[in-house]
Amino acid sequence: MRADLDARPNLLGFMASELEALVKTLGQPSYRGRQLHHGLFHKLLPGVAAISDLPKAFRELVAASFATETPSIHRQQISQDGTRKYLFRAPDGVTFEAVYIPEVAKGRGTNTLCVSSQTGCSVGCKFCFTASIKRWRNLMAAEIIGQIIAVQRDVTAISADAQVTNIVFMGMGEPLLNYAEVTRAARILMDPEGLSFASRRITISTSGIVPRIYDLGRELPVQLAISLNATTDEIRNEVMPINKKWPLAALIQALRDYPLQPRRRFTIEYVMLRGKNDSLADANRLVRLLQGLPVKVNLLPLNGHERTDYTSPTEATVLAFEAELRRAGMNAIIRTARGRDIDAACGQLGGADHVQNG
Ligand code: SF4
């Protein structure tokens, strides 16, 4: 049965300074706000009730008006390659997923957490499982931060050294269609008194919500990824209907106008679909389209599922496409799908829909 959303604001959606100001409105000294923040964001305790250095009366006062818990982990799957997929369930019954991807590169651990920003998506990309979910809503900043804290708590319990080092907004949903909550979550992530992620370790991915790309460039120095997936308007209109609203020329112009931080590049995601966007002519058009832009191109052979008609290209086609881009001097890499055996790869996230159908 569907329960209502908890009406209490969740303090995981607050910066450290905001918590200090908030406790003052409750007639408490500001240091109580710092203690509260420390318990939730540094010790990663599962809620105010567990912050034992706070007086019981204060804990009860906070709990009466505010939620402090992370979303509950409803199911967890672990891939043979170490990838972990978490299914969260909110009090109103919606579900959403986050994927933890541990990697060792150049001798250092880079553990990326892919978070959801919505519990479905209205953009309707034709290769994407999330697009097929009927009942969905935006996630609040506290629910986005809650995914990160809950996963960090879980992986630390397995290995004290495990640390989420990078956050990518590439899970369920179009982040820039939930702009206010996503940018609030990014600010909380970067809060130097809180989780203190460097801006270069946060990537927001978009299908091309052009006005919001301009807003993001003005407001936040995070990394930007574009889910491009086609080199002509004709094909992109078919694969990603959002292109009818903001066609390729407008999207590429937004990148040319973007105030990119020094020594950074845009990430271009290109999901390869057999016979649709995987020809050498496509590769050459891609080179021309991105000419002069600092980019790295991630080639993602489609991870097929039952709710798309598209199929994955052959390995030879993918290799030839990559070689063509490299010949033109482009920084391109084929991304091997992580967590494929648990449906955690790109475009496969679907919350409870996928648990039932996957
Ligand atoms: S690929 Fe991203 S933007 Fe497109 S439908 Fe899926 S979740 Fe939405």
Side-chain angles (χ1 to χ4, degrees):
M1 191 167 74
R2 183 186 166 126
D4 286 334
L5 256 184
D6 191 337
R8 297 171 302 164
N10 191 312
L11 297 187
L12 297 181
F14 285 61
M15 314 264 288
S17 57
E18 292 172 331
L19 277 186
E20 284 181 38
L22 184 109
V23 297
K24 282 202 222 162
T25 68
L26 298 173
Q28 298 288 322
S30 60
Y31 71 84
R32 288 278 181 241
R34 287 196 292 279
Q35 286 176 305
L36 183 56
H37 183 268
H38 190 73
L40 296 176
F41 289 86
H42 292 273
K43 291 187 176 171
L44 310 179
L45 293 170
V48 67
I51 308 177
S52 55
D53 52 345
L54 287 173
K56 190 159 179 277
F58 177 73
R59 285 184 263 162
E60 287 170 357
L61 182 72
V62 170
S65 305
F66 301 98
T68 51
E69 293 78 23
T70 54
S72 61
I73 297 174
H74 186 65
R75 175 178 161 146
Q76 186 184 153
Q77 292 168 275
I78 304 169
S79 165
Q80 289 168 355
D81 66 16
T83 300
R84 289 169 179 266
K85 183 167 77 165
Y86 296 84
L87 174 70
F88 294 95
R89 189 186 290 278
D92 62 346
V94 296
T95 56
F96 47 99
E97 292 177 320
V99 181
Y100 175 77
I101 308 161
E103 268 175 311
V104 177
K106 294 179 190 158
R108 282 175 306 162
T110 303
N111 302 322
T112 300
L113 184 65
C114 175
V115 294
S116 292
S117 56
Q118 302 177 306
T119 67
C121 188
S122 61
V123 171
C125 302
K126 294 290 187 282
F127 55 83
C128 174
F129 194 94
T130 307
S132 68
I133 295 169
K134 298 289 176 260
R135 186 170 76 85
W136 63 271
R137 66 166 170 81
N138 284 336
L139 288 173
M140 292 175 291
E143 292 174 307
I144 297 169
I145 297 296
Q147 294 170 59
I148 296 152
I149 290 179
V151 171
Q152 181 61 62
R153 196 189 295 137
D154 186 68
V155 297
T156 307
I158 300 156
S159 160
D161 298 337
Q163 183 78 32
V164 175
T165 59
N166 293 49
I167 304 293
V168 295
F169 286 78
M170 294 184 187
M172 296 165 65
E174 162 52 65
L176 296 190
L177 288 181
N178 185 16
Y179 188 83
E181 296 298 314
V182 164
T183 51
R184 167 162 269 275
R187 287 193 171 94
I188 294 167
L189 283 171
M190 291 190 290
D191 184 356
E193 294 176 63
L195 298 168
S196 73
F197 278 82
S199 61
R200 69 176 190 286
R201 296 194 174 275
I202 302 170
T203 301
I204 294 181
S205 173
T206 179
S207 58
I209 313 299
V210 167
R212 290 309 200 184
I213 293 174
Y214 282 93
D215 291 341
L216 191 68
R218 271 192 300 272
E219 293 173 22
L220 277 180
V222 295
Q223 307 268 20
L224 181 65
I226 303 293
S227 184
L228 192 65
N229 311 327
T231 57
T232 67
D233 281 325
E234 187 191 354
I235 300 296
R236 201 163 190 267
N237 286 347
E238 176 190 324
V239 174
M240 303 179 74
I242 196 79
N243 193 70
K244 293 177 193 160
K245 193 158 184 183
W246 292 293
L248 275 172
L251 175 56
I252 298 300
Q253 189 58 47
L255 298 188
R256 296 199 187 283
D257 294 340
Y258 199 84
L260 201 62
Q261 301 286 309
R263 297 184 299 284
R264 291 213 186 152
R265 294 165 185 263
F266 299 108
T267 300
I268 303 294
E269 295 153 41
Y270 194 90
V271 176
M272 296 187 69
L273 311 168
R274 183 185 291 220
K276 185 55 65 179
N277 65 0
D278 61 351
S279 69
L280 292 184
D282 284 300
N284 285 310
R285 269 195 299 271
L286 188 58
V287 169
R288 285 198 296 277
L289 203 57
L290 300 175
Q291 198 86 57
L293 282 169
V295 295
K296 61 175 179 201
V297 178
N298 287 339
L299 299 174
L300 308 147
L302 176 74
N303 300 301
H305 53 81
E306 75 273 16
R307 295 195 194 171
T308 184
D309 294 334
Y310 298 125
T311 54
S312 192
T314 63
E315 192 182 349
T317 306
V318 177
L319 288 171
F321 197 99
E322 182 199 33
E324 194 70 7
L325 296 186
R326 290 196 168 184
R327 232 191 316 278
M330 190 160 267
N331 182 340
I333 187 165
I334 301 165
R335 304 292 290 191
T336 45
R338 297 290 304 267
R340 195 194 288 264
D341 54 328
I342 55 170
D343 294 332
C346 189
Q348 288 192 324
L349 299 187
D353 270 35
H354 218 177
V355 171
Q356 285 150 13
N357 297 300

